[in-house]
Coordinates of all heavy atoms in Angstrom, one line a residue:
M44 N 13.7 -10.9 14.3 CA 15.2 -10.7 14.2 C 15.5 -9.5 13.4 O 14.8 -9.3 12.4 CB 15.8 -12.0 13.7 CG 17.3 -11.9 13.6 SD 18.0 -13.5 13.2 CE 18.1 -14.2 14.9
I45 N 16.5 -8.8 13.8 CA 17.0 -7.6 13.0 C 17.4 -8.1 11.6 O 18.1 -9.1 11.5 CB 18.1 -6.9 13.6 CG1 18.6 -5.7 12.8 CG2 19.3 -7.8 13.9 CD1 17.6 -4.6 12.7
E46 N 16.8 -7.5 10.5 CA 17.1 -8.0 9.2 C 17.8 -6.9 8.3 O 18.5 -7.2 7.4 CB 15.8 -8.5 8.5 CG 15.2 -9.7 9.2 CD 16.0 -10.9 8.9 OE1 16.9 -11.0 8.1 OE2 15.6 -12.0 9.6
I47 N 17.3 -5.6 8.5 CA 17.8 -4.6 7.5 C 18.2 -3.3 8.2 O 17.5 -2.8 9.1 CB 16.6 -4.3 6.5 CG1 16.4 -5.5 5.6 CG2 16.9 -3.1 5.7 CD1 15.1 -5.4 4.7
I48 N 19.3 -2.8 7.7 CA 19.7 -1.4 7.9 C 19.6 -0.8 6.5 O 20.4 -1.2 5.7 CB 21.1 -1.2 8.5 CG1 21.2 -1.8 9.9 CG2 21.4 0.3 8.6 CD1 22.6 -1.6 10.5
S49 N 18.7 0.2 6.4 CA 18.6 0.8 5.1 C 19.7 1.9 4.9 O 19.7 2.9 5.6 CB 17.2 1.5 4.9 OG 17.2 2.3 3.8
E50 N 20.6 1.6 4.0 CA 21.8 2.5 3.9 C 21.3 3.9 3.3 O 21.9 4.9 3.5 CB 22.8 1.9 3.0 CG 23.5 0.7 3.6 CD 24.7 0.2 2.8 OE1 25.1 0.9 1.8 OE2 25.3 -0.8 3.2
S51 N 20.2 3.8 2.5 CA 19.7 5.1 1.9 C 19.0 5.9 3.0 O 18.8 7.2 2.8 CB 18.7 4.7 0.8 OG 17.6 4.1 1.2
K52 N 18.5 5.4 4.1 CA 17.8 6.1 5.1 C 18.6 6.4 6.3 O 18.3 7.4 7.0 CB 16.5 5.4 5.5 CG 15.6 5.1 4.3 CD 14.4 4.3 4.8 CE 13.4 5.1 5.5 NZ 12.2 4.3 5.9
C53 N 19.6 5.6 6.6 CA 20.4 5.8 7.8 C 21.1 7.2 7.9 O 21.7 7.6 6.9 CB 21.4 4.7 7.9 SG 22.5 4.8 9.4
I54 N 21.0 7.8 9.0 CA 21.7 9.1 9.2 C 22.9 9.0 10.1 O 23.4 10.0 10.6 CB 20.7 10.2 9.8 CG1 20.1 9.7 11.1 CG2 19.6 10.4 8.8 CD1 19.3 10.8 11.8
E55 N 23.3 7.8 10.3 CA 24.6 7.5 11.0 C 24.7 8.1 12.4 O 25.7 8.6 12.8 CB 25.8 8.1 10.1 CG 25.7 7.5 8.7 CD 26.8 8.1 7.8 OE1 27.6 8.9 8.3 OE2 26.7 7.9 6.6
C56 N 23.6 7.9 13.1 CA 23.6 8.5 14.5 C 24.1 7.5 15.5 O 24.4 7.8 16.7 CB 22.2 8.9 14.9 SG 21.0 7.5 15.0
N57 N 24.1 6.2 15.2 CA 24.6 5.1 16.0 C 23.7 4.9 17.3 O 24.1 4.3 18.2 CB 26.0 5.3 16.5 CG 27.0 5.0 15.4 OD1 26.9 4.0 14.7 ND2 28.0 5.8 15.2
M58 N 22.5 5.4 17.2 CA 21.5 5.1 18.3 C 21.3 3.6 18.4 O 21.2 3.1 19.5 CB 20.2 5.9 18.0 CG 19.2 5.7 19.1 SD 19.7 6.6 20.6 CE 19.3 8.3 20.2
C59 N 21.2 3.0 17.3 CA 20.9 1.5 17.4 C 22.0 0.8 18.1 O 21.8 -0.2 18.8 CB 20.7 0.9 16.0 SG 22.0 1.4 14.8
V60 N 23.3 1.2 17.8 CA 24.4 0.6 18.5 C 24.3 0.8 20.0 O 24.6 -0.1 20.8 CB 25.7 1.2 18.0 CG1 26.9 0.6 18.7 CG2 25.9 1.1 16.5
S61 N 23.8 2.0 20.4 CA 23.7 2.3 21.9 C 22.6 1.5 22.6 O 22.8 1.1 23.7 CB 23.5 3.8 22.0 OG 24.6 4.5 21.5
V62 N 21.5 1.4 21.9 CA 20.3 0.9 22.6 C 20.2 -0.7 22.6 O 19.5 -1.2 23.4 CB 19.0 1.5 22.1 CG1 19.0 3.0 22.3 CG2 18.7 1.1 20.7
C63 N 20.9 -1.3 21.6 CA 20.7 -2.8 21.6 C 21.2 -3.4 22.8 O 22.4 -3.3 23.2 CB 21.4 -3.3 20.3 SG 21.4 -5.1 20.2
P64 N 20.4 -4.2 23.5 CA 20.8 -4.8 24.8 C 21.8 -6.0 24.6 O 22.4 -6.4 25.5 CB 19.5 -5.3 25.4 CG 18.6 -5.5 24.2 CD 19.0 -4.4 23.2
T65 N 21.9 -6.5 23.4 CA 22.7 -7.7 23.2 C 23.9 -7.3 22.2 O 24.6 -8.3 21.7 CB 21.9 -8.9 22.6 OG1 21.2 -8.5 21.5 CG2 21.0 -9.4 23.7
N66 N 24.2 -6.1 21.9 CA 25.4 -5.6 21.2 C 25.4 -6.3 19.8 O 26.5 -6.8 19.4 CB 26.6 -6.0 22.0 CG 27.8 -5.3 21.5 OD1 27.8 -4.2 21.0 ND2 29.0 -5.9 21.7
V67 N 24.3 -6.2 19.1 CA 24.3 -6.8 17.8 C 25.0 -6.0 16.7 O 25.6 -6.5 15.8 CB 22.8 -7.0 17.4 CG1 22.6 -7.2 15.9 CG2 22.1 -8.1 18.2
F68 N 25.0 -4.6 16.9 CA 25.6 -3.8 15.9 C 27.0 -3.4 16.2 O 27.4 -3.3 17.4 CB 24.7 -2.5 15.8 CG 23.3 -2.7 15.5 CD1 22.4 -2.7 16.5 CD2 22.8 -2.9 14.2 CE1 21.0 -2.9 16.3 CE2 21.5 -3.0 13.9 CZ 20.6 -3.0 15.0
D69 N 27.7 -3.1 15.1 CA 29.0 -2.5 15.3 C 29.1 -1.1 14.6 O 28.5 -1.0 13.5 CB 30.1 -3.4 14.7 CG 30.6 -4.4 15.6 OD1 30.3 -4.4 16.8 OD2 31.3 -5.4 15.2
K70 N 29.7 -0.1 15.2 CA 30.0 1.1 14.5 C 31.0 0.8 13.3 O 31.8 -0.2 13.4 CB 30.6 2.1 15.4 CG 29.7 2.6 16.5 CD 30.4 3.6 17.4 CE 29.5 4.1 18.5 NZ 30.2 5.0 19.4
T71 N 31.0 1.7 12.3 CA 31.9 1.5 11.2 C 32.6 2.8 10.8 O 32.1 3.9 11.2 CB 31.2 0.9 9.9 OG1 30.3 1.9 9.4 CG2 30.5 -0.3 10.2
A72 N 33.6 2.7 10.1 CA 34.3 3.9 9.7 C 33.5 4.8 8.8 O 33.6 6.0 8.8 CB 35.7 3.5 8.9
N73 N 32.6 4.2 8.0 CA 31.9 5.0 7.0 C 30.6 5.6 7.7 O 29.9 6.4 7.1 CB 31.5 4.3 5.8 CG 30.4 3.2 6.0 OD1 29.8 3.1 7.1 ND2 30.0 2.5 4.9
G74 N 30.4 5.2 8.9 CA 29.3 5.8 9.7 C 28.0 5.0 9.8 O 27.2 5.2 10.7
I75 N 27.8 4.1 8.8 CA 26.6 3.3 8.9 C 26.9 2.0 9.6 O 27.8 1.3 9.2 CB 26.0 3.0 7.4 CG1 25.7 4.3 6.7 CG2 24.8 2.0 7.5 CD1 25.3 4.1 5.3
P76 N 26.2 1.8 10.7 CA 26.5 0.6 11.5 C 26.2 -0.7 10.7 O 25.5 -0.7 9.7 CB 25.6 0.6 12.7 CG 25.0 2.0 12.7 CD 25.1 2.5 11.3
V77 N 26.8 -1.8 11.1 CA 26.5 -3.1 10.5 C 25.9 -4.0 11.5 O 26.1 -3.9 12.7 CB 27.8 -3.7 9.9 CG1 28.4 -2.9 8.8 CG2 28.9 -3.9 11.0
I78 N 25.2 -5.0 11.0 CA 24.6 -6.0 11.8 C 25.7 -7.1 11.9 O 25.9 -7.9 11.1 CB 23.3 -6.6 11.2 CG1 22.3 -5.6 11.0 CG2 22.8 -7.8 12.1 CD1 21.1 -6.0 10.1
A79 N 26.4 -7.0 13.0 CA 27.6 -7.8 13.2 C 27.4 -9.2 13.8 O 28.1 -10.1 13.6 CB 28.7 -7.1 14.0
R80 N 26.3 -9.2 14.7 CA 26.0 -10.5 15.4 C 24.5 -10.7 15.4 O 23.8 -10.7 16.4 CB 26.6 -10.4 16.8 CG 28.1 -10.4 17.0 CD 28.6 -9.9 18.3 NE 28.4 -8.4 18.4 CZ 29.2 -7.5 17.9 NH1 30.3 -7.8 17.2 NH2 28.9 -6.2 18.0
Q81 N 24.0 -11.0 14.2 CA 22.6 -11.2 14.0 C 22.0 -12.3 14.9 O 20.9 -12.1 15.5 CB 22.2 -11.5 12.6 CG 20.7 -11.5 12.3 CD 20.4 -11.9 10.9 OE1 21.1 -12.7 10.3 NE2 19.3 -11.4 10.3
S82 N 22.7 -13.3 15.1 CA 22.2 -14.4 15.9 C 22.0 -14.0 17.4 O 21.3 -14.8 18.1 CB 23.1 -15.6 15.8 OG 24.4 -15.3 16.3
D83 N 22.6 -12.9 17.8 CA 22.4 -12.5 19.2 C 21.1 -11.6 19.4 O 20.8 -11.3 20.5 CB 23.6 -11.6 19.7 CG 24.9 -12.5 19.9 OD1 24.7 -13.7 19.9 OD2 25.9 -11.9 20.0
C84 N 20.5 -11.3 18.3 CA 19.3 -10.5 18.3 C 18.1 -11.2 19.1 O 17.9 -12.4 18.9 CB 18.8 -10.2 16.9 SG 17.2 -9.2 16.9
Q85 N 17.5 -10.5 20.0 CA 16.4 -11.0 20.8 C 15.1 -10.6 20.3 O 14.0 -10.7 21.0 CB 16.6 -10.6 22.3 CG 17.9 -11.1 22.9 CD 18.0 -12.6 22.9 OE1 17.1 -13.2 23.4 NE2 19.1 -13.1 22.3
T86 N 15.0 -9.9 19.1 CA 13.8 -9.5 18.5 C 13.0 -8.6 19.5 O 11.8 -8.7 19.7 CB 12.9 -10.7 18.1 OG1 13.8 -11.6 17.4 CG2 11.8 -10.3 17.1
C87 N 13.7 -7.7 20.2 CA 13.1 -6.8 21.2 C 12.5 -5.5 20.6 O 11.8 -4.8 21.2 CB 14.1 -6.5 22.3 SG 15.4 -5.4 21.8
F88 N 12.9 -5.2 19.4 CA 12.5 -4.0 18.6 C 13.0 -2.7 19.1 O 12.6 -1.6 18.7 CB 10.9 -3.9 18.6 CG 10.3 -5.0 17.7 CD1 9.9 -6.2 18.2 CD2 10.1 -4.8 16.4 CE1 9.3 -7.2 17.4 CE2 9.5 -5.7 15.6 CZ 9.1 -6.9 16.1
M89 N 13.9 -2.7 20.1 CA 14.4 -1.5 20.7 C 15.1 -0.6 19.6 O 14.9 0.6 19.6 CB 15.4 -1.8 21.8 CG 14.7 -2.3 23.1 SD 13.7 -1.0 23.9 CE 15.1 -0.1 24.7
C90 N 15.9 -1.3 18.8 CA 16.6 -0.5 17.8 C 15.7 0.2 16.8 O 15.8 1.4 16.5 CB 17.6 -1.4 17.0 SG 16.9 -2.8 16.3
E91 N 14.7 -0.6 16.4 CA 13.7 0.0 15.5 C 12.9 1.2 16.1 O 12.7 2.2 15.5 CB 12.7 -1.1 14.9 CG 11.9 -0.6 13.8 CD 11.1 -1.7 13.1 OE1 11.6 -2.8 12.9 OE2 9.9 -1.4 12.8
L92 N 12.6 1.0 17.4 CA 11.9 2.1 18.1 C 12.7 3.3 18.2 O 12.2 4.4 18.0 CB 11.5 1.6 19.5 CG 10.3 0.7 19.6 CD1 10.2 0.1 21.1 CD2 9.0 1.4 19.3
Y93 N 14.0 3.2 18.4 CA 14.8 4.4 18.7 C 15.4 5.0 17.4 O 15.9 6.1 17.5 CB 15.9 4.1 19.7 CG 15.5 4.1 21.1 CD1 15.0 3.0 21.8 CD2 15.6 5.3 21.8 CE1 14.6 3.1 23.1 CE2 15.2 5.4 23.1 CZ 14.7 4.3 23.8 OH 14.2 4.4 25.1
C94 N 15.4 4.3 16.3 CA 16.0 4.8 15.1 C 15.2 6.0 14.6 O 14.0 5.9 14.3 CB 16.0 3.8 14.0 SG 16.6 4.4 12.4
P95 N 15.8 7.2 14.6 CA 15.1 8.4 14.2 C 14.8 8.5 12.8 O 14.0 9.4 12.3 CB 16.1 9.6 14.7 CG 17.4 9.0 14.6 CD 17.2 7.5 15.0
A96 N 15.4 7.7 12.0 CA 15.3 7.8 10.5 C 14.4 6.7 10.0 O 14.3 6.5 8.7 CB 16.6 7.7 9.9
D97 N 13.8 5.9 10.8 CA 13.1 4.7 10.4 C 13.8 3.9 9.4 O 13.3 3.5 8.3 CB 11.7 5.1 9.8 CG 10.7 5.7 10.8 OD1 11.0 5.4 12.0 OD2 9.7 6.3 10.4
A98 N 15.1 3.6 9.7 CA 16.0 2.9 8.8 C 16.2 1.4 9.1 O 16.9 0.7 8.4 CB 17.3 3.6 8.8
L99 N 15.5 0.9 10.1 CA 15.7 -0.4 10.6 C 14.5 -1.3 10.4 O 13.4 -0.8 10.6 CB 16.2 -0.5 12.0 CG 17.5 0.2 12.4 CD1 17.7 0.2 13.8 CD2 18.7 -0.6 11.7
F100 N 14.7 -2.5 10.1 CA 13.5 -3.4 10.1 C 13.8 -4.7 10.9 O 14.8 -5.4 10.7 CB 13.2 -3.9 8.6 CG 12.1 -4.9 8.6 CD1 10.8 -4.5 8.9 CD2 12.3 -6.2 8.2 CE1 9.8 -5.5 8.9 CE2 11.3 -7.1 8.1 CZ 10.0 -6.8 8.5
V101 N 13.1 -4.9 11.9 CA 13.1 -6.1 12.8 C 11.9 -6.9 12.4 O 10.8 -6.5 12.5 CB 13.1 -5.7 14.3 CG1 13.1 -7.0 15.1 CG2 14.2 -4.8 14.7
D102 N 12.2 -8.1 11.9 CA 11.1 -9.0 11.5 C 10.6 -9.7 12.8 O 11.4 -10.1 13.6 CB 11.7 -10.1 10.5 CG 10.5 -10.9 9.9 OD1 9.9 -11.7 10.6 OD2 10.3 -10.6 8.7
P103 N 9.3 -9.8 12.9 CA 8.7 -10.4 14.1 C 9.2 -11.9 14.2 O 9.2 -12.5 15.4 CB 7.2 -10.4 13.9 CG 7.0 -9.2 13.0 CD 8.2 -9.2 12.1
N104 N 9.5 -12.5 13.1 CA 10.0 -13.9 13.2 C 11.4 -13.9 13.8 O 12.3 -13.2 13.3 CB 10.0 -14.5 11.7 CG 10.3 -15.9 11.7 OD1 11.0 -16.5 12.6 ND2 9.8 -16.6 10.7
P105 N 11.6 -14.7 14.8 CA 12.9 -14.7 15.5 C 14.0 -15.5 14.8 O 15.1 -15.5 15.2 CB 12.6 -15.4 16.9 CG 11.4 -16.2 16.6 CD 10.6 -15.5 15.6
E106 N 13.6 -16.1 13.6 CA 14.6 -16.8 12.8 C 15.0 -15.9 11.7 O 14.2 -15.1 11.1 CB 14.0 -18.1 12.2 CG 13.5 -19.1 13.3 CD 14.7 -19.5 14.2 OE1 15.8 -19.7 13.6 OE2 14.5 -19.7 15.4
P107 N 16.3 -16.0 11.3 CA 16.7 -15.1 10.2 C 16.0 -15.5 8.9 O 15.8 -16.6 8.6 CB 18.2 -15.4 10.1 CG 18.4 -16.7 10.8 CD 17.3 -16.8 11.8
Q108 N 15.8 -14.4 8.1 CA 15.1 -14.6 6.8 C 16.1 -14.3 5.7 O 17.0 -13.5 5.8 CB 13.9 -13.6 6.7 CG 12.9 -13.6 7.8 CD 12.2 -15.0 7.9 OE1 11.6 -15.4 7.0 NE2 12.4 -15.6 9.0
S109 N 16.0 -15.1 4.6 CA 17.0 -15.0 3.6 C 16.5 -14.3 2.3 O 17.3 -13.9 1.4 CB 17.5 -16.4 3.2 OG 16.4 -17.2 2.7
K110 N 15.2 -14.1 2.2 CA 14.7 -13.5 1.0 C 13.9 -12.2 1.2 O 13.0 -11.9 0.4 CB 13.8 -14.6 0.3 CG 14.5 -15.8 -0.1 CD 13.7 -16.8 -0.8 CE 14.5 -18.0 -1.3 NZ 13.6 -19.1 -1.9
L111 N 14.2 -11.4 2.1 CA 13.6 -10.2 2.3 C 14.0 -9.2 1.3 O 15.2 -9.0 1.0 CB 13.8 -9.6 3.7 CG 13.2 -10.4 4.9 CD1 13.5 -9.8 6.2 CD2 11.7 -10.5 4.7
D112 N 13.1 -8.4 0.7 CA 13.3 -7.5 -0.3 C 13.1 -6.1 0.3 O 12.0 -5.7 0.6 CB 12.3 -7.7 -1.5 CG 12.5 -6.7 -2.6 OD1 13.1 -5.7 -2.4 OD2 12.1 -7.1 -3.8
E113 N 14.2 -5.3 0.5 CA 14.1 -4.0 1.1 C 13.2 -3.1 0.4 O 12.4 -2.4 1.0 CB 15.5 -3.4 1.2 CG 15.4 -2.0 1.9 CD 16.8 -1.4 2.1 OE1 17.8 -2.1 2.1 OE2 16.9 -0.1 2.2
A114 N 13.2 -3.1 -0.9 CA 12.4 -2.2 -1.7 C 10.9 -2.5 -1.5 O 10.1 -1.6 -1.4 CB 12.8 -2.3 -3.2
E115 N 10.6 -3.8 -1.5 CA 9.2 -4.2 -1.3 C 8.8 -3.9 0.1 O 7.6 -3.4 0.3 CB 9.1 -5.7 -1.5 CG 7.7 -6.3 -1.2 CD 6.6 -5.6 -2.0 OE1 6.8 -5.0 -3.0 OE2 5.4 -5.8 -1.5
L116 N 9.6 -4.1 1.1 CA 9.3 -3.7 2.5 C 9.1 -2.2 2.6 O 8.2 -1.7 3.4 CB 10.4 -4.2 3.5 CG 10.5 -5.7 3.6 CD1 11.7 -6.0 4.4 CD2 9.3 -6.3 4.2
E117 N 9.9 -1.5 1.9 CA 9.8 0.0 1.9 C 8.4 0.4 1.3 O 7.7 1.3 1.8 CB 10.9 0.6 1.2 CG 10.9 2.2 1.2 CD 11.0 2.8 2.6 OE1 11.6 2.2 3.5 OE2 10.5 3.9 2.8
R118 N 8.1 -0.3 0.2 CA 6.8 0.0 -0.4 C 5.7 -0.2 0.5 O 4.7 0.5 0.5 CB 6.7 -0.8 -1.7 CG 5.5 -0.4 -2.6 CD 5.3 -1.4 -3.7 NE 4.8 -2.7 -3.2 CZ 3.6 -2.9 -2.8 NH1 2.7 -1.9 -2.8 NH2 3.3 -4.1 -2.3
Q119 N 5.8 -1.3 1.3 CA 4.7 -1.6 2.2 C 4.7 -0.7 3.5 O 3.8 -0.7 4.3 CB 4.9 -3.1 2.7 CG 4.7 -4.1 1.6 CD 5.0 -5.5 2.1 OE1 5.2 -5.7 3.3 NE2 5.1 -6.5 1.2
G120 N 5.8 0.1 3.6 CA 5.9 1.0 4.8 C 6.2 0.4 6.1 O 5.9 0.9 7.1
V121 N 6.8 -0.8 6.0 CA 7.0 -1.5 7.3 C 8.5 -1.3 7.8 O 8.7 -1.7 9.0 CB 6.7 -3.0 7.2 CG1 5.3 -3.3 6.8 CG2 7.6 -3.6 6.1
I122 N 9.4 -0.7 7.0 CA 10.7 -0.5 7.6 C 10.6 0.7 8.5 O 10.1 1.8 8.2 CB 11.7 -0.2 6.4 CG1 11.9 -1.4 5.5 CG2 13.1 0.3 7.0 CD1 12.9 -1.2 4.4
G123 N 10.9 0.4 9.8 CA 10.7 1.5 10.8 C 9.3 1.6 11.2 O 8.9 2.5 12.1
G124 N 8.4 0.8 10.7 CA 7.0 0.9 11.0 C 6.5 0.6 12.4 O 5.5 1.0 12.8
Y125 N 7.3 -0.1 13.1 CA 7.0 -0.5 14.5 C 6.8 0.7 15.4 O 6.0 0.7 16.3 CB 8.0 -1.5 15.1 CG 7.5 -2.1 16.4 CD1 6.5 -3.0 16.4 CD2 8.2 -1.8 17.6 CE1 6.1 -3.6 17.6 CE2 7.7 -2.3 18.8 CZ 6.7 -3.2 18.8 OH 6.3 -3.8 20.0
R126 N 7.5 1.8 15.1 CA 7.4 3.0 15.9 C 6.0 3.6 15.8 O 5.5 4.0 16.8 CB 8.4 4.1 15.3 CG 9.8 3.7 15.3 CD 10.7 4.8 14.9 NE 11.0 5.7 15.9 CZ 11.2 7.0 15.8 NH1 11.1 7.5 14.6 NH2 11.4 7.8 16.8
A127 N 5.5 3.5 14.6 CA 4.1 4.1 14.5 C 3.1 3.1 15.2 O 2.1 3.6 15.8 CB 3.8 4.2 13.0
V128 N 3.3 1.8 15.1 CA 2.4 0.9 15.7 C 2.3 1.1 17.2 O 1.2 1.0 17.8 CB 2.9 -0.6 15.4 CG1 2.1 -1.6 16.3 CG2 2.8 -0.9 14.0
V129 N 3.4 1.5 17.9 CA 3.3 1.7 19.3 C 3.2 3.2 19.7 O 3.3 3.5 20.8 CB 4.5 1.1 20.0 CG1 4.6 -0.4 19.8 CG2 5.9 1.7 19.5
G130 N 3.0 4.0 18.6 CA 2.7 5.4 18.9 C 3.9 6.3 19.1 O 3.8 7.4 19.6
W131 N 5.1 5.8 18.7 CA 6.3 6.7 18.9 C 6.5 7.6 17.8 O 7.3 8.5 17.9 CB 7.5 5.8 19.1 CG 7.7 5.2 20.4 CD1 6.7 4.8 21.2 CD2 8.9 5.0 21.1 NE1 7.2 4.3 22.4 CE2 8.6 4.4 22.4 CE3 10.2 5.2 20.8 CZ2 9.5 4.1 23.3 CZ3 11.2 4.9 21.7 CH2 10.8 4.3 23.0
A132 N 5.8 7.4 16.6 CA 6.1 8.3 15.5 C 4.9 8.0 14.5 O 4.1 7.1 14.6 CB 7.4 7.9 14.8
V133 N 4.7 9.0 13.6 CA 3.7 8.9 12.6 C 4.4 8.4 11.4 O 5.2 9.1 10.8 CB 3.0 10.2 12.4 CG1 2.0 10.1 11.2 CG2 2.3 10.7 13.6
N134 N 4.0 7.2 10.9 CA 4.5 6.6 9.7 C 3.4 6.9 8.6 O 2.5 6.1 8.6 CB 4.9 5.2 9.9 CG 5.5 4.6 8.6 OD1 5.4 5.2 7.5 ND2 6.2 3.5 8.8
K135 N 3.7 7.8 7.8 CA 2.6 8.2 6.8 C 2.4 7.1 5.8 O 1.4 7.1 5.1 CB 3.0 9.5 6.1 CG 3.0 10.7 7.1 CD 3.5 11.9 6.4 CE 3.5 13.1 7.4 NZ 4.1 14.3 6.8
K136 N 3.4 6.2 5.6 CA 3.3 5.2 4.6 C 2.5 4.0 5.1 O 2.1 3.2 4.3 CB 4.7 4.7 4.1 CG 5.5 5.8 3.4 CD 6.8 5.2 3.0 CE 7.6 6.3 2.3 NZ 9.0 5.8 2.0
K137 N 2.3 3.9 6.4 CA 1.7 2.7 6.9 C 0.2 2.8 6.7 O -0.5 3.8 7.0 CB 1.9 2.6 8.4 CG 1.2 1.4 9.0 CD 1.6 1.1 10.4 CE 0.8 0.0 11.0 NZ 0.5 -1.1 10.2
S138 N -0.4 1.8 6.1 CA -1.8 1.8 5.9 C -2.5 1.1 7.0 O -2.0 0.2 7.7 CB -2.2 1.0 4.6 OG -1.7 -0.3 4.7
V139 N -3.7 1.6 7.4 CA -4.5 1.0 8.5 C -5.6 0.3 7.9 O -6.4 0.8 7.1 CB -5.0 2.2 9.4 CG1 -5.8 1.6 10.5 CG2 -3.8 3.0 10.0
S140 N -5.8 -1.0 8.3 CA -6.9 -1.8 7.7 C -7.7 -2.3 8.9 O -7.3 -2.3 10.0 CB -6.3 -2.9 6.9 OG -5.4 -3.7 7.7
Ligands
SF4_227 S1 15.7 -6.1 18.0 FE1 16.7 -5.8 20.0 S2 18.2 -7.3 20.2 FE2 17.7 -7.3 18.0 S3 19.2 -5.9 17.1 FE3 17.4 -4.6 17.7 S4 17.8 -3.9 19.7 FE4 19.2 -5.5 19.3
SF4_228 S1 19.6 4.3 14.7 FE1 18.9 4.3 12.6 S2 19.8 6.2 11.7 FE2 20.9 5.8 13.6 S3 22.7 4.6 12.9 FE3 21.1 3.1 13.5 S4 20.1 2.7 11.6 FE4 21.2 4.6 11.2

């Protein structure tokens, strides 16, 4: 389920708003979209794949998580990391084990 929009990484392109098949995001006046309808998320990863700034994190767990730590996820290199997993981008922070 979509969990995080990183405000420090988002470049306000609204690509996530456009590609989400279930209209989870809303545009905002300040430019950074909001997760407006999280429960409508289908965990399809499309938003994370298309985000050019690696600013989104979709958790593989389809249930909402309450204790995710953005800083820790960033340290792990998993915010936006799905793009690298499927070969859409090179995520230099992602470790391969
Ligand atoms: S994972 Fe899919 S359904 Fe969920 S917010 Fe992203 S694009 Fe929308
Ligand atoms: S696709 Fe990424 S950079 Fe663009 S608005 Fe959405 S979160 Fe921000």
Side-chain angles (χ1 to χ4, degrees):
M44 177 170 279
I45 180 69
E46 296 288 353
I47 289 172
I48 296 179
S49 172
E50 294 190 5
S51 64
K52 299 176 77 177
C53 177
I54 60 171
E55 305 174 7
C56 68
N57 284 317
M58 183 69 79
C59 51
V60 180
S61 299
V62 301
C63 178
T65 53
N66 197 30
V67 165
F68 303 97
D69 276 346
K70 295 180 181 178
T71 66
N73 77 0
I75 299 175
V77 294
I78 301 170
R80 288 163 292 278
Q81 187 185 28
S82 61
D83 288 348
C84 177
Q85 299 299 303
T86 317
C87 72
F88 290 91
M89 288 289 283
C90 56
E91 191 173 319
L92 281 171
Y93 277 90
C94 175
D97 289 346
L99 296 172
F100 178 65
V101 179
D102 192 288
N104 189 328
E106 298 300 322
Q108 306 297 303
S109 60
K110 296 181 179 177
L111 291 180
D112 181 339
E113 181 178 338
E115 174 60 19
L116 293 173
E117 182 63 29
R118 191 190 66 75
Q119 295 175 9
V121 297
I122 297 181
Y125 190 69
R126 302 182 81 211
V128 170
V129 297
W131 280 37
V133 176
N134 185 339
K135 295 176 181 174
K136 294 179 182 175
K137 180 172 172 39
S138 61
V139 177
S140 56

